Amino acid sequence: MGYDISFHPIDIGLVEQRVVPFLAGHGGDHDLDDLIDHAVRQAKVRFRANAWGLGTRKAYAGPDFDTFLYLWGRPFFVTEEDPAAVAETVARYCDSTVDQVDDLARGQIALIDPALVNHVEPEVSGTLPTDENLAIGFRWKLDLLRDAALALRAGRQTIRNADGDDISAAGALTGNAQFCVVEFLAALLPGWIERGKVWPSELAERADTEDYVPLSGNEPLLGSLPTEFPALHWESDWTISSNYSIGGYATPADIRPFRNWLSGNAEALDEVGDQWDDRPYVRKALRKIDEALALAELTGSGFVEAAEIYIPMQGTMN
């Protein structure tokens, strides 16, 4: 099976202070409402930015428009070249409202060709759900895992899922917590999309490098859950082991060493990855990893590799 890979800056402070306590059953049911509202706003920003990217692809047939970077790679619509500038532009999109997207996107079009700006219109495909339905989409998994934690605290072994079936509360919580956390945080601070076996820990295993990538197990994404529910079997991993899974994690302090490792081992890493569609697949993946790390560095975040957070063929985009 193929892998829809993504590279994520991860706000570990938000994990520890807000998201995991909610999942663990602390506080009130509406404690994440402000973050849900933020995710809804960003969904609308992302939709508008993607429309500008699609419109640019339609209007400009030149070789400088890199579809797998601008549309199905970076978040939003960014055409900058320098990783620091890419990160800064993504951060501006994250902080913007829908009304501010058009000016941001036109600035990115001008970097390709200033004369192109007056010839591009956003290409809107489909419509977004209502704000209410967007909010439901962002929170239903969080609510389900919170229900699981509250059930376990009350001595109940099962909960009812969205289909009305009774499922194991312990299984729901331990089997989905890390993926749910990353999926939700990606709606607040987006990741980069790639495809194939090109995640950093996989490349590191296969490359001939003298040092090792500063990635470790992803148990920090569980926060206090293993301590609060010690009787449950909690698993963590240092790499992507299957579809719909979370791989290795790098702490905020490891981001600069990680970037140094990438640049210092670029040639060795480039030699080992799978080729796909006869394009420089690994080289582009390394660029995307570094840009995601640049955003992590800019925002003081950690980093995590993941599979199937985004599935472009199903319309799940960054």
Side-chain angles (χ1 to χ4, degrees):
M1 181 177 287
Y3 290 89
D4 286 304
I5 301 303
S6 48
F7 314 122
H8 296 269
I10 200 85
D11 187 339
I12 195 66
L14 202 59
V15 172
E16 296 170 345
Q17 298 163 23
R18 298 286 307 276
V19 180
V20 166
F22 181 85
L23 297 184
H26 299 303
D29 291 344
H30 296 284
D31 282 1
L32 297 187
D33 283 2
D34 61 321
L35 299 182
I36 300 293
D37 289 344
H38 185 186
V40 169
R41 177 181 59 78
Q42 271 211 40
K44 293 188 285 189
V45 168
R46 184 166 58 248
F47 185 79
R48 184 65 177 176
N50 286 341
W52 277 104
L54 291 170
T56 305
R57 181 186 64 167
K58 183 176 181 179
Y60 182 73
D64 295 331
F65 192 86
D66 189 337
T67 301
F68 289 98
L69 194 62
Y70 303 156
L71 294 183
W72 300 297
R74 293 169 176 166
F76 304 110
F77 172 51
V78 181
T79 66
E80 299 279 359
E81 287 297 314
D82 179 70
V86 171
E88 290 167 1
T89 304
V90 172
R92 288 179 64 195
Y93 274 115
C94 287
D95 292 336
S96 72
T97 64
V98 175
D99 293 339
Q100 295 169 320
V101 171
D102 291 1
D103 285 342
L104 273 171
R106 289 189 185 101
Q108 297 305 301
I109 296 169
L111 294 176
I112 300 173
D113 181 354
L116 185 62
V117 174
N118 294 328
H119 300 283
V120 176
E121 293 293 334
E123 183 176 339
V124 178
S125 177
T127 58
L128 276 178
T130 64
D131 287 7
E132 180 181 4
N133 286 334
L134 283 170
I136 291 171
F138 287 124
R139 74 172 305 141
W140 74 267
K141 291 181 185 178
L142 301 171
D143 289 338
L144 183 71
L145 298 196
R146 178 176 171 84
D147 287 346
L150 290 170
L152 292 170
R153 291 188 188 280
R156 292 183 284 111
Q157 300 305 308
T158 63
I159 58 171
R160 187 153 293 177
N161 67 12
D163 295 326
D165 300 322
D166 288 335
I167 61 173
S168 165
L173 193 57
T174 61
N176 297 282
Q178 285 143 312
F179 193 89
C180 181
V181 164
V182 174
E183 186 177 46
F184 178 60
L185 290 183
L188 308 174
L189 188 64
W192 273 242
I193 293 174
E194 192 47 275
R195 184 164 176 80
K197 299 182 72 172
V198 291
W199 53 93
S201 59
E202 170 74 9
L203 293 175
E205 280 289 286
R206 298 169 62 191
D208 182 17
T209 63
E210 294 183 2
D211 53 352
Y212 196 71
V213 58
L215 280 170
S216 57
N218 56 36
E219 60 271 10
L221 299 175
L222 295 172
S224 64
L225 287 171
T227 302
E228 297 199 48
F229 298 92
L232 302 186
H233 178 63
W234 297 95
E235 293 186 356
S236 62
D237 211 336
W238 62 274
T239 190
I240 293 170
S241 56
S242 65
N243 293 100
Y244 295 93
S245 67
I246 305 301
Y249 168 76
T251 70
D254 283 328
I255 299 304
R256 173 46 58 176
F258 197 160
R259 296 190 72 190
N260 292 341
W261 179 84
L262 274 181
S263 62
N265 294 286
E267 184 175 350
L269 294 167
D270 192 26
E271 290 175 354
V272 300
D274 293 346
Q275 296 296 312
W276 185 61
D277 287 352
D278 298 320
R279 62 188 179 88
Y281 191 29
V282 177
R283 196 171 309 125
K284 188 159 295 179
L286 296 177
R287 179 176 184 174
K288 292 176 183 179
I289 295 166
D290 187 56
E291 290 175 355
L293 289 167
L295 181 58
E297 193 167 35
L298 177 67
T299 57
S301 302
F303 171 92
V304 72
E305 54 187 19
E308 279 71 52
I309 294 292
Y310 304 119
I311 307 178
M313 291 295 291
Q314 295 181 11
T316 310
M317 293 291 295
N318 57 345

